[in-house]
């Protein structure tokens, strides 16, 4: 092994099994009276093959953290790396390429293209990258999201839950190094949600897929290998092998804490 840094985009090696990491990450929106600190020095490591749930009250910075860690949004200070690649060393073109090759993202709003069918939406990132999908994997992803005969339908012809499943399948289809999912089950009924969560968990356990998921739901967090908790833009707690009961207890504790401001 050599410490020589490898050029980004030729190889994306991981160091010590780290899929992605942030260090002292801070970001504020607005200025003066309207300034909001969304992230306040967040340092977190996402290991390869680990399924992490990010929890915290509305406005605590969960989506901002995901967007910054996925290279979708800028930040004020600190650093983000995907594998061994520091995002700050990349120009716009390189960043776009890294996002396309290495990152899957499931948005809180589905962001599907209305003119494409479900299947075309799922394979779009690979179509854009000029890559052929791994057919066996794609079949598995498609089977898991359970779209069946609706694969040829456009998003407007699908229910909210079905659209969200297409969005999850799209993020997984290219087998990215890390999948970020912002409340992927927020629009699903409990059965459909359980299927998506089960697939995310299995993809981490059986295939080494790294997954980071935002959720408000203690049951969803129970599928993850660990849960981390944000409040006011800071990491305030972490739990290994979360269960819905323990997550709920911890959240009750947060609610019971006296407010300092
Ligand atoms: N584009 C923006 N302009 C100004 N403020 C923003 C913007 N995006 C987010 N914020 C603020 O930053 C803080 C963190 O927002 P963020 O969306 O990361 O929260 P969240 O934890 O994902 O919340 P939710 O659970 O409601 O999705 C909030 O106070 C929010 O109002
Ligand atoms: Mg959010």
């Amino acid at each position: 092994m050599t410490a020589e840094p490898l050029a980004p985009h030729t190889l994306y090696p991981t160091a010590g099994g780290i899929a992605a990491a942030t260090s002292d990450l801070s970001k504020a929106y607005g200025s003066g009276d309207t300034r909001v600190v969304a992230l306040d020095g967040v340092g977190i490591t996402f290991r390869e093959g680990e399924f992490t749930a990010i929890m915290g009250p509305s406005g605590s910075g969960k989506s901002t953290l995901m967007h910054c860690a996925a290279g979708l949004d800028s930040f004020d200070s600190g650093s983000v790396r995907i594998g061994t690649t520091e995002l700050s060393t990349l120009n716009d073109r390189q960043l776009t390429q890294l996002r396309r090759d290495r990152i899957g993202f499931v948005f809180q709003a589905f962001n599907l293209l209305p003119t494409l069918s479900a299947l075309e939406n799922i394979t779009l990132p690979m179509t854009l990258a000029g890559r052929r999908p791994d057919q066996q994997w794609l079949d598995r992803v498609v089977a898991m999201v359970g779209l069946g005969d609706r694969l040829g339908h456009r998003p407007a012809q699908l229910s909210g839950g079905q659209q969200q499943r297409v969005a999850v399948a799209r993020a997984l289809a290219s087998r990215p190094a890390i999948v970020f999912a912002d409340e992927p089950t927020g629009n699903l009924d409990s059965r459909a949600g359980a299927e998506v969560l089960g697939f995310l968990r299995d993809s981490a356990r059986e295939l080494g897929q790294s997954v980071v998921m935002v959720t408000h739901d203690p049951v969803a967090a129970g599928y993850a290998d660990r849960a981390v908790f944000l409040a006011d833009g800071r990491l305030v707690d972490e739990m290994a092998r979360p269960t819905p009961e323990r997550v709920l207890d911890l959240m009750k504790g947060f609610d019971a804490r006296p407010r300092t401001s």
Side-chain angles (χ1 to χ4, degrees):
M1 289 287 280
T2 152
E4 190 78 24
L6 287 152
H9 317 298
T10 46
L11 277 170
Y12 299 96
T14 53
I18 293 174
T22 73
S23 173
D24 208 13
L25 189 65
S26 293
K27 179 179 178 72
Y29 291 104
S31 59
D33 286 351
T34 61
R35 189 166 183 271
V36 174
V37 177
L39 296 177
D40 189 7
V42 174
I44 186 164
T45 296
F46 302 113
R47 301 207 153 272
E48 279 187 317
E50 189 176 50
F51 183 8
T52 303
I54 298 182
M55 306 196 76
S58 183
S60 58
K62 304 182 298 295
S63 292
T64 306
L65 174 61
M66 300 271 280
H67 290 156
C68 290
L72 291 167
D73 206 350
S74 63
F75 41 89
D76 300 334
S77 60
S79 64
V80 173
R81 52 186 269 206
I82 300 292
T84 59
T85 306
E86 286 281 344
L87 296 193
S88 62
T89 64
L90 307 180
N91 62 31
D92 282 353
R93 188 185 55 79
Q94 292 170 320
L95 186 60
T96 302
Q97 195 178 338
L98 175 131
R99 275 203 309 261
R100 196 185 64 197
D101 292 347
R102 299 284 290 168
I103 293 169
F105 205 97
V106 183
F107 291 90
Q108 204 162 2
F110 323 127
N111 280 11
L112 299 177
L113 287 185
T115 55
L116 301 183
S117 73
L119 185 60
E120 287 164 343
N121 265 288
I122 291 170
T123 54
L124 180 68
M126 283 170 293
T127 309
L128 291 176
R131 246 191 295 151
R132 286 171 61 82
D134 171 341
Q135 194 60 46
Q136 221 180 338
W137 172 255
L138 189 63
D139 289 346
R140 205 174 152 195
V141 168
V142 166
M144 184 281 305
V145 295
L147 285 165
D149 60 356
R150 303 191 82 80
L151 275 176
H153 289 54
R154 288 194 296 278
Q157 300 167 309
L158 300 172
S159 71
Q162 287 168 336
Q163 290 181 55
Q164 183 63 306
R165 279 139 67 186
V166 173
V168 172
R170 178 178 60 185
L172 287 165
S174 65
R175 303 194 73 167
I178 186 160
V179 167
F180 294 97
D182 200 346
E183 297 197 56
T185 58
N187 298 292
L188 304 181
D189 63 34
S190 58
R191 192 187 62 85
E195 281 174 10
V196 169
L197 290 163
F199 183 76
L200 289 173
R201 181 185 56 197
D202 291 350
S203 66
R205 287 205 185 147
E206 292 167 23
L207 304 161
Q209 176 69 66
S210 316
V211 180
V212 181
M213 169 183 76
V214 169
T215 184
H216 285 106
D217 179 2
V219 173
Y223 283 78
D225 299 316
R226 71 167 173 161
V228 300
F229 298 84
L230 279 182
D232 297 328
R234 296 182 195 195
L235 273 184
V236 292
D237 220 325
E238 177 163 355
M239 183 185 288
R241 293 175 298 283
T243 63
E245 296 73 28
R246 287 170 58 227
V247 169
L248 204 56
D249 279 348
L250 193 74
M251 287 164 74
K252 281 184 197 150
F254 289 149
D255 290 343
R257 251 175 234 175
R259 298 207 173 262
T260 49
S261 60

